[in-house]
Amino acid sequence: MDPVIIVGAGPVGLALALALARNEVPSVVLDEGTGVCPESPRTVVLGSDTAAFLARIGYTRVGSDAARWDAFTIWRRRAEVLRLPLADEPVLHLAQHRLQRGLRDAVTATPLIRLAPRHRVVELTQDHDGVTVRTASAAADGETRWHGSHLVGCDGARSTVRKLLKIRFPGRPAVDRHAVATVRVDLPFPGEARLHREPPWRGDREASARPLPDGLWRLDWRLPPGRPQPTEPVDPHATWPGIVTGDTLLTRVASALTGWCGELPPHQLLAAADHTYQQRLAGRFRTGRCFLAGDAAHLHGALGMQNLADGLRDADNLAWRLALAWHLPPDSAPAESALLDGYESERRGAVGARLRAVDQTMPLLRPLRGWAQTRRALISGSFRKHAPLLADGQLGTGRFGGAPAYPATPSGVVLRVPEQRGAGRGTSLTEQLSPVAPGVLVPDLPVVTADGAADTLRARLGTAFLLVLVAPGTTVWSAEHWLGAGLMPRLTELADALPVPTEVLVTDAYPGAAPHTVLLVRPDGHLLGTTPGLQPEALHTLTAPLTTGARERVGNQGRGELREAEGTGR
């Protein structure tokens, strides 16, 4: 089998390559750039699911590279409107260049991944055997051709892959605009992220401060509309001269720091940019053996939403599907097609729901009314009422950022996610549904493996489906007393008989599940289904539509050796 071709060496492309490598699937990452990750003011907020995903694919220093927030507050003028303690809900905030460097370090240490810098894709074709890509290389004379089993375009907002596939990318070109700066400064609220609406100093309508490691802060200011609208997608993180340079930016920095500190503290301005946030959704996420992920597939960022976090969820969702498809026998085309179709159904539906939520909520948080009416609404308390919506975007919770759920029928066919009403904090589909509803993201719980080792549920994700037995008392009794008793032997036999790679785990308790419930969890952490007790036929029914014959794993790189197509320069 040929490797999977990944176009784009940003965080999403690198994360996908690492996730595939954990499943012994080789990949080649075509990078139009040089591989250098320059410092910039771009940052990302990670929830528990995306942070766990990064850690298990090899970016082990994600916790030390990020700042952990103690609280998130919203202020209006001189009054605190909302305070959310975050001790029990860890939120990690890190610079995107640190994230990219950490992922690149993990990639270079992985033999199954080949990085090809300075290769610009100029043509792609596909057939039932795979995908062929022609690149123009700045590192080698002439053109180069690559052949892969599948191709994933992770090449950003101006995606060449998307254009070559002739996939439309409709949407709104300028939903929100912010000036952003990275500043080294000591603020009087360490560890606290703060959003300040109508601050008491003049000139700003909304300012925010979010801590980063090493005494750094990301400062944001919402800018008024008015920039000419582009006719096609632009880099959502582009820098525009005249807005974040010169006296304008320095005045904003000085005003905000003085307002928060009482006087202008010593500070150092390190980087700045003007972000124009768009809302776009690709018409398709899949065309044959080619896929889109990350900025190439969707753009959003208004109200503090994290497009990169959703890009990482794209990679997590697609990796296990591609891994199963890659290991399928050659005559399994129908099973492979159904398996890969689920990526578009789930991820495009989840991002589409976020975009609809912004459209519904934006009039409440960005009122387009006269100043007198807006002032009257704010005084009457509507801002306090809707403040939790702003927190959702900033924290990656609720409809604006929480982990989605992918409801499915018992046969494994994904259903369209119904539109949810009432966009208050904590209203993501995962939080609205029961913890045992098919499609929800499982919580991170202590588990015991089949060899008696203690671990956590999410740490076991990524390479296999999980059969989790809810058995009270497993934390009290030594594993040697129960691993060979009760349902355990039959459960182990069933795991070996299922048509997908499966691991057996035991947990003392699971929310909403009765003792002796068996849970079947997908490699990306979403619940495929549950059975009361051990029901082999029901569990076979849940896994049968996914694939058959995919249990074999390659023990070396030989079967998926990286290669360029014959007749090309090397």
Side-chain angles (χ1 to χ4, degrees), residues 1-3 24 26 112 326 554-563:
M1 283 285 286
D2 295 303
E24 300 186 35
L112 284 174
W326 197 87
V554 182
N556 55 56
Q557 193 176 336
R559 180 181 172 189
E561 183 179 358
L562 297 175
R563 67 176 179 86

Side-chain angles (χ1 to χ4, degrees), residues 179-181 221 239-255 267 269 271-273:
V180 182
W221 298 268
T239 299
W240 305 101
I243 294 180
V244 297
T245 59
D247 294 340
T248 303
L249 177 65
L250 296 178
T251 299
R252 290 187 186 277
V253 171
S255 297
H267 63 280
L269 177 62

Side-chain angles (χ1 to χ4, degrees), residues 510-534:
Y510 184 93
H516 305 131
T517 297
V518 176
L519 304 100
L520 182 60
V521 182
R522 300 186 337 187
D524 61 352
H526 289 268
L527 188 64
L528 190 59
T530 65
T531 62
L534 187 59

Side-chain angles (χ1 to χ4, degrees), residues 394-406:
Q394 301 286 329
L395 298 175
T397 55
R399 298 176 72 192
F400 295 148
Y406 306 127

Side-chain angles (χ1 to χ4, degrees), residues 9-309:
V12 175
L14 296 177
L16 177 60
L18 288 167
L20 289 173
R22 291 193 73 221
N23 288 275
E24 300 186 35
V25 177
S27 63
V28 55
V29 182
L30 303 178
D31 183 7
E32 186 173 345
T34 62
V36 177
C37 307
E39 295 191 9
S40 78
R42 299 167 65 174
T43 65
V44 59
V45 175
L46 299 174
S48 59
D49 65 316
T50 47
F53 169 61
L54 291 171
R56 70 174 180 263
I57 62 175
Y59 181 28
T60 55
R61 63 175 190 261
V62 59
S64 59
D65 279 353
R68 187 182 297 267
W69 295 349
D70 300 323
F72 178 80
T73 63
I74 296 180
W75 290 64
R76 178 177 175 263
R77 295 187 177 176
R78 301 183 185 276
E80 183 179 277
V81 175
L82 178 70
R83 172 173 289 270
L84 297 173
L86 300 176
D88 298 329
E89 300 179 48
V91 174
L92 301 181
H93 184 219
L94 75 159
Q96 188 165 319
H97 62 265
R98 279 198 172 189
L99 167 62
Q100 191 161 346
R101 291 171 185 174
L103 290 172
R104 185 172 287 271
D105 289 345
V107 163
T108 56
T110 306
L112 284 174
I113 304 173
R114 176 176 177 180
L115 284 174
R118 298 184 179 182
H119 280 271
R120 178 173 55 88
V121 174
V122 295
E123 181 184 2
L124 72 85
T125 57
Q126 59 175 316
D127 55 30
H128 66 279
D129 291 325
V131 182
T132 301
V133 173
R134 181 167 62 89
T135 62
S137 173
D141 294 335
E143 299 176 346
T144 307
R145 303 181 81 87
W146 308 80
H147 193 270
S149 62
H150 302 82
L151 179 143
V152 186
C154 305
D155 49 341
R158 293 183 178 273
S159 171
T160 299
V161 171
R162 188 183 63 240
K163 293 174 183 177
L164 292 174
L165 294 174
K166 294 181 171 54
I167 297 177
R168 295 179 62 248
F169 200 34
R172 298 166 59 189
V175 181
D176 227 345
R177 293 176 57 236
H178 284 252
V180 182
T182 303
V183 180
R184 188 182 303 279
V185 66
D186 289 329
L187 292 181
F189 40 90
E192 173 188 313
R194 175 177 294 190
L195 186 148
H196 208 141
R197 177 69 66 87
E198 294 183 53
W201 59 88
R202 298 183 60 183
D204 292 329
R205 299 190 299 172
E206 183 177 292
S208 63
R210 292 180 281 180
L212 287 162
D214 305 324
L216 301 181
W217 290 78
R218 168 170 166 162
L219 307 184
D220 290 65
W221 298 268
R222 185 162 61 90
L223 301 175
R227 232 186 70 80
Q229 307 301 311
T231 57
E232 66 174 71
V234 298
D235 183 344
H237 305 287
T239 299
W240 305 101
I243 294 180
V244 297
T245 59
D247 294 340
T248 303
L249 177 65
L250 296 178
T251 299
R252 290 187 186 277
V253 171
S255 297
L257 296 182
T258 301
W260 284 320
C261 300
E263 60 182 5
L264 184 61
H267 63 280
Q268 180 184 8
L269 177 62
L270 301 178
D274 172 20
H275 292 187
T276 300
Y277 295 107
Q278 306 180 61
Q279 283 196 178
R280 294 185 183 271
L281 184 64
R284 302 189 307 276
F285 281 20
R286 180 194 179 194
T287 298
R289 290 178 171 268
C290 299
F291 304 82
L292 299 176
D295 286 1
H298 47 76
L299 292 175
H300 57 68
L303 306 179
M305 295 169 65
Q306 303 291 311
N307 197 62
L308 177 52

